[in-house]
Amino acid sequence: MLLRTVLSALALLPWLVTAQDGSITGPTSSSQAAGYSCDPTKCKLPNCNCASPNPPGGLQPSEVPQFIVFTADDAIQSYTLDAVNMFLAQRKNPNGCPIKMSYYTSLNYTNYTLVTDWFVAGNEIADHTMTHVGTPPADEINGNLIALNALAGIPLSAIQGFRAPFLNYTGETLKLLAAASFTYDTSSAASIPVTENDTDAYWPYTLDNGMANDCLAVSDICKGQPVLPGFWEFPMYALFDSLGAAGIHLMDPWLDTANGASTVNDSATLAYMQSTFTAHYTGNRQPFGLYTHPIHLSTTYPGVNPPNSTITMINQFLDWAQTQQNVWIVSNEQLLGWMRNPVPISQLDNVESLKCSTPQVDSSKQICNGIPQNENGLLDHCDFSDFPWFTCYGCPTVEPSPDNPNPQQAVAAGQQPRYRLPANCSTPFWDPIAGQCLCTSSTCQFTDNSRPIGPNGANLTGGGTGGSAASGSASSSFVPFNGAPLPLMPAGVLPAIILGCVGALFGAFGVVSRI
């Protein structure tokens, strides 16, 4: 068993190392390369918005909140959620609601039940392909949707966003996303400081008139292409140190050296994070992004030992930012809710995406539903040789893959198959063992939107017991629950053995660094 574990860890190593990329070295756009044109008198919210550095809806910068978008990429495991919680778990937004964030999830080495828990706690679960491949084909994108729905119980309509691994995408990628009914992509960079007249730090915009970012980096976009009406692009906003455009930082900025130095300096990183934030805050208040690979900051992943000074520095930055007036830490899903109907600060109480609510499920009930106190003892352990994981929805006979994302369910003798999330019950109220919905009122039920990702364009709505996908027609959309982060799985589960071996390898070879 130990040999198998070590060999599995070695197999994981190349993927986990290369998975950390997301850097840029200079401007990725120019106004000449963009060739962008949009008529704001014809392109109007809620479903069309021109690329512009100015706030949406004709609002003045002083009337809009300063959003900090917090995201994470790659596999979801206890050590990645531990890392995120170091920064967000104790924070609240100005309305008293717990912080939500966006997790761009790839499925290799992901523990599916933690995806369920993180979603039911109110966070956004988004698509990052199944096996973390750049320039992804349709089966990588759509397979991730199907597997997240079938094995983590994430409603299809709740998976709105996508980020390309390594930020490596093409115009064809954007077309695939629109065809699969995604709402937005967030793979492009805003790489020119907001203080420059020709900045590409646009507020999120739709592709009714093509892309306006990454025109120097991606060959088949911009100059009016691709035309995808109603499909949103959420630029990732770069940070800049004292070197300006020559000192650009994007993902995991705390791993970078600052101001041309040869070593990382937390004080210098804090200084340029604060100065970039201030440029946004005192300018047009474009969102400020913290885009993370949580493994780098995990204190519960053996072999990865981030400096305490770095963790303290990030919290110091967030503490400082939250002392400013009208600063909100949000997911891209929440930002989109405001973008579609932008209102001034005085009316933020009316923005549904910024409100908080929790599913009212009796804590004494035994139900595998993404709430740890309810599902204790009910998780199904999928003991695959390369990476075991847990799920509420029944282990498949084989591991999900792009060509088979929803395998037939494995059912032990004398047991019944578990029922996958259907199209008319929300995740915390669905009992996959009994195959029934605990909620019968309109306040907690919903009808899922289908996705045109099945064979020959069939519309998928989820449900069943595995091995096939149901079809149906689209209807009203799902509004996810929002609640405080919930406890993670107990320590000591089998995946920790493998993770510990891989972590030790990272520590031994010194490879936990940005590519």
Side-chain angles (χ1 to χ4, degrees):
M1 175 64 185
L2 179 60
L3 177 61
R4 187 185 81 178
T5 300
V6 172
L7 291 174
S8 297
L10 286 169
L12 286 172
L13 188 57
W15 182 88
L16 285 169
V17 175
T18 58
Q20 310 314 314
D21 196 21
S23 60
I24 55 176
T25 57
T28 61
S29 301
S30 73
S31 56
Q32 182 178 5
Y36 183 81
S37 178
C38 180
D39 184 350
T41 65
K42 297 179 179 178
C43 180
K44 296 183 177 182
L45 294 169
N47 297 317
C48 187
N49 193 49
C50 293
S52 172
N54 299 315
L59 295 173
Q60 295 300 309
S62 61
E63 296 180 289
V64 304
Q66 177 63 63
F67 293 112
I68 297 176
V69 176
F70 195 105
T71 75
D73 284 15
D74 300 340
I76 292 183
Q77 267 292 351
S78 59
Y79 62 86
T80 66
L81 300 187
D82 285 343
V84 171
N85 272 326
M86 287 192 302
F87 308 112
L88 300 185
Q90 305 306 316
R91 299 185 184 278
K92 295 184 184 296
N93 273 319
N95 62 353
C97 291
I99 303 299
K100 294 200 295 185
M101 51 81 70
S102 298
Y103 212 118
Y104 296 90
T105 312
S106 51
L107 298 183
N108 277 8
Y109 319 116
T110 275
N111 191 340
Y112 284 78
T113 193
L114 292 181
V115 182
T116 313
D117 293 358
W118 202 238
F119 171 77
V120 171
N123 300 286
E124 179 183 12
I125 300 297
D127 195 323
H128 198 48
T129 76
M130 289 196 78
T131 66
H132 202 276
V133 294
T135 318
D139 61 352
E140 282 279 352
I141 297 170
N142 296 338
N144 207 38
L145 275 174
I146 294 169
L148 284 170
N149 173 252
L151 294 166
I154 310 302
L156 286 166
S157 62
I159 307 171
Q160 300 184 72
F162 177 83
R163 177 173 290 155
F166 318 108
L167 308 184
N168 187 351
Y169 72 99
T170 66
E172 183 61 27
T173 307
L174 300 173
K175 293 174 185 177
L176 289 173
L177 295 172
S181 296
F182 281 86
T183 303
Y184 74 88
D185 168 74
T186 179
S187 306
S188 68
S191 56
I192 302 174
V194 296
T195 51
E196 300 291 331
N197 290 332
D198 61 346
T199 183
D200 61 348
Y202 305 121
W203 281 82
Y205 59 96
T206 61
L207 301 192
D208 294 64
N209 298 277
M211 282 282 288
N213 291 86
D214 279 355
C215 304
L216 298 173
V218 181
S219 61
D220 60 344
I221 62 172
C222 299
K223 296 188 177 178
Q225 296 298 321
V227 177
L228 301 171
F231 182 79
W232 290 78
E233 181 63 29
F234 281 57
M236 299 172 66
Y237 303 95
L239 293 81
F240 302 90
D241 61 32
S242 63
L243 300 179
I248 190 170
H249 310 274
L250 191 60
M251 301 196 77
D252 310 301
W254 33 83
L255 302 181
D256 295 347
T257 60
N259 310 320
S262 58
T263 58
V264 174
N265 182 309
D266 290 322
S267 296
T269 303
L270 176 61
Y272 79 69
M273 288 173 64
Q274 289 178 325
S275 65
T276 302
F277 176 92
T278 300
H280 283 238
Y281 186 74
T282 59
N284 283 314
R285 294 203 175 175
Q286 295 98 323
F288 177 93
L290 289 178
Y291 313 114
T292 76
H293 294 96
I295 185 176
H296 291 309
L297 297 168
S298 175
T299 60
T300 56
Y301 187 46
V304 177
N305 299 302
N308 287 332
S309 61
T310 299
I311 294 170
T312 299
M313 180 274 294
I314 298 169
N315 272 314
Q316 185 180 349
F317 169 78
L318 290 170
D319 289 344
W320 170 81
Q322 287 197 291
T323 64
Q324 317 302 312
Q325 293 293 312
N326 303 312
V327 171
W328 294 66
I329 304 173
V330 297
S331 65
N332 273 323
E333 178 183 50
Q334 289 178 295
L335 175 58
L336 177 62
W338 182 83
M339 285 293 308
R340 282 177 156 161
N341 181 29
V343 296
I345 293 166
S346 60
Q347 299 177 30
L348 289 180
D349 285 348
N350 298 322
V351 178
E352 287 297 327
S353 67
L354 299 179
K355 295 180 180 180
C356 47
S357 61
T358 55
Q360 300 302 304
V361 180
D362 186 344
S363 61
S364 67
K365 282 189 174 294
Q366 290 292 288
I367 173 176
C368 210
N369 65 344
I371 301 177
Q373 61 262 31
N374 294 113
E375 65 188 10
N376 186 36
L378 298 177
L379 299 173
D380 207 353
H381 179 204
C382 309
D383 190 15
F384 292 109
S385 60
D386 60 346
F387 193 82
W389 39 272
F390 292 83
T391 178
C392 281
Y393 298 93
C395 294
T397 53
V398 295
E399 292 185 81
S401 63
D403 60 354
N404 187 18
N406 183 14
Q408 184 67 40
Q409 189 176 156
V411 183
Q415 296 185 8
Q416 297 295 318
R418 297 195 179 192
Y419 297 89
R420 306 284 167 75
L421 184 76
N424 62 350
C425 187
S426 56
T427 308
F429 294 98
W430 177 246
D431 184 344
I433 298 174
Q436 65 181 12
C437 189
L438 298 187
C439 176
T440 57
S441 73
S442 60
T443 58
C444 54
Q445 282 190 321
F446 71 97
T447 300
D448 204 353
N449 281 334
S450 62
R451 305 294 284 253
I453 57 176
N456 301 315
N459 288 334
L460 301 187
T461 57
T465 57
S468 63
S471 64
S473 57
S475 60
S476 60
S477 11
F478 167 59
V479 178
F481 287 104
N482 171 23
L486 295 166
L488 303 178
M489 286 187 61
V493 294
L494 185 58
I497 299 174
I498 296 177
L499 295 174
C501 290
V502 182
L505 288 168
F506 272 128
F509 295 109
V511 292
V512 179
S513 63
R514 160 187 288 252
I515 299 300

